[in-house]
Amino acid sequence: MEPEFISRPNEMDHFDALFDFWFDAGWDVCKGNRSDECFPPLNDMIAQGAWLYGFRAAWIALNGEKCIHEQACRSRAENDSDIEEMISMQLSDALDGRARLLLQLRASDRDAGGCGIN
């Protein structure tokens, strides 16, 4: 008789689902959704990292078309620092009224080697 194994949820599946949730939430905020449930919790670096990846990916996919700073977005970025500056401007606008979250996102980005949201 073969041993019976109890099926447990795969921890990686759970992590992937959480990552996908926060990635999608960051994407939605970049596109203009400002619902409270679309912002990651304070002090959760994993959720914040996934959210920030989603926000950046949406901005790049949209090529800045939905950027709140229309003048900056109309001009073509000539290098990566220009792109990061435009993303940073939109991020600041999207997080208006959420100063602590913005500070945490900037600190974690800087600690991780940064991609320029400082």
Side-chain angles (χ1 to χ4, degrees):
M1 178 172 216
E2 303 234 355
E4 205 175 299
F5 291 99
I6 298 172
S7 177
R8 292 186 200 165
N10 184 332
E11 287 183 29
M12 286 306 293
D13 289 343
H14 179 71
F15 176 82
D16 289 346
L18 282 175
F19 185 92
D20 290 347
F21 174 84
W22 288 115
F23 182 95
D24 292 345
W27 184 285
D28 288 348
V29 169
C30 186
K31 289 177 52 181
N33 186 346
R34 299 300 186 266
S35 301
D36 287 340
E37 64 271 3
C38 287
F39 292 92
L42 291 173
N43 304 317
D44 186 337
M45 298 303 129
I46 294 171
Q48 290 176 11
W51 185 92
L52 193 53
Y53 282 128
F55 189 92
R56 283 190 176 123
W59 192 92
I60 291 167
L62 297 169
N63 197 24
E65 293 173 25
K66 302 285 185 190
C67 185
I68 294 168
H69 294 281
E70 292 178 19
Q71 183 179 19
C73 290
R74 271 188 246 136
S75 67
R76 286 286 184 207
E78 303 217 357
N79 61 45
D80 288 344
S81 65
D82 291 338
I83 291 169
E84 289 300 335
E85 183 177 331
M86 288 186 279
I87 292 171
S88 180
M89 287 188 309
Q90 187 173 359
L91 183 68
S92 293
D93 285 345
L95 294 172
D96 187 38
R98 299 174 191 276
R100 288 182 61 202
L101 179 57
L102 182 59
L103 286 172
Q104 284 189 4
L105 287 168
R106 287 184 169 158
S108 66
D109 186 60
R110 185 177 51 250
D111 292 345
C115 291
I117 65 165
N118 297 310

